[in-house]
Amino acid sequence: MAKPGRLGVGIIGAGKVGAVLGAALRAAEHAVVGVSAVSEASRERAETLLPGVPILDVQEIVERSELVLLAVPDDALGALVEGLGKLRAWQPGQLVAHTSGRFGVGILRPVRAAGAIPLALHPAMTFTGMSLDLTRLLDCTFGVTADAAMLPIAQALVVEMGAEPVAIAEADRTLYHAALAHGSNHLVTLVAQSSQLLREVGVESPERMLGPLLRATLENALASGESALTGPVARGDVGTVTAHAEALKEHDGGAGGDILAAYLAMARATAVRAASRGLLKEDQFGEMKRALGDGTQPPEGP
């Protein structure tokens, strides 16, 4: 016997996020009535994570669904919503949720105009598009935005998927998403750059060297914040930082390399934050600023 309040769910976009969230809603006993999938990869993903769910065109999915989940790229979301609005596809009382981190419910104005209910449900997680992602949801937080009266609905959907909802104000969505992208996406670049350098100095398995170090660093940073900061910048070791920069400049073949640019940018930011916490004295900060070049600004006084 089905649980009360079960919904007919339509998934628009069988990318890594859409297919996984569709599978999670299905596991919560909602009925996935259709999924859109254009590429061969998305069709295979739909067949794997949503077996038996028909692949339909977008307008038919909207017509059949009580909850429409829009799991499309940020830049495609506005045009999709507007286009379906012009086709009068949105239905009064229908729930329409998107998974974009950047946007709140403002981008769903055509949905609201039709009498449907706009929701923003963004998982703060990176997905592979495979079944193992379902277990990741159990330790995942969603940034949720909705009208005050509808926020409990958005929160309940997230809880049903096994995750934790956190309310994000409409005006804060872009900054919220920037925080996640800065932490997650740039971490991948950082690890790739460090791995490249280690391989080039003869380390055959950089992941074995970096893994324990980075995991411990991340755990310490999450537990202790900036109190966990260590290293030559925080210690004021100007000579070491200068030597690093010179070695990276030589490695990159000049001042235009991406690894040197990233090192200097992060070292400058680290110096400012270390100085603001009193880890660097004023004279140490000044020396570090000169060593790192333009771009480092002194912290504001109390």
Side-chain angles (χ1 to χ4, degrees), residues 22-224:
L25 289 167
R26 197 182 201 186
E29 299 185 20
H30 295 287
V32 180
V33 299
V35 58
S36 69
V38 178
S39 70
E40 185 63 31
S42 62
R43 286 176 175 270
E44 290 178 2
R45 195 176 295 115
E47 290 171 2
T48 300
L49 289 172
L50 299 168
V53 174
I55 295 176
L56 306 172
D57 65 50
V58 169
Q59 192 168 355
E60 187 174 3
I61 289 173
V62 176
E63 290 172 356
R64 292 187 178 196
S65 304
E66 296 164 290
L67 165 62
V68 180
L69 188 67
L70 303 172
V72 298
D74 290 358
D75 288 348
L77 181 59
L80 174 63
V81 173
E82 290 279 356
L84 288 167
K86 291 177 181 177
L87 293 172
R88 300 183 183 275
W90 304 121
Q91 304 166 42
Q94 188 176 49
L95 298 172
V96 181
H98 72 70
T99 62
S100 167
R102 173 184 168 191
F103 298 109
V105 294
I107 199 166
L108 300 179
R109 283 186 297 273
V111 168
R112 189 191 301 277
I117 299 168
L119 309 171
L121 310 176
H122 175 252
M125 178 56 65
T126 181
F127 292 122
T128 64
M130 296 185 288
S131 57
L132 64 87
D133 291 335
L134 294 172
T135 60
R136 288 182 173 178
L137 284 177
L138 302 179
D139 193 34
C140 175
T141 300
F142 277 60
V144 173
T145 303
D147 296 348
M150 301 303 166
L151 188 60
I153 296 174
Q155 293 168 324
L157 288 169
V158 171
V159 169
E160 285 189 321
M161 287 187 279
E164 178 185 353
V166 173
I168 304 295
E170 177 80 16
D172 294 334
R173 289 292 296 204
T174 301
L175 196 59
Y176 151 81
H177 193 230
L180 298 180
H182 184 44
S184 177
N185 304 156
H186 297 166
L187 178 61
V188 176
T189 302
L190 175 66
V191 172
Q193 291 178 334
S194 296
S195 297
Q196 176 189 336
L197 293 175
L198 289 172
R199 285 193 193 93
E200 291 177 3
V201 299
V203 178
E204 293 184 0
S205 301
E207 67 279 4
R208 295 188 63 182
M209 182 174 285
L210 286 172
L213 171 64
L214 296 183
R215 280 190 286 271
T217 301
L218 179 59
E219 289 172 3
N220 290 343
L222 292 174
S224 303

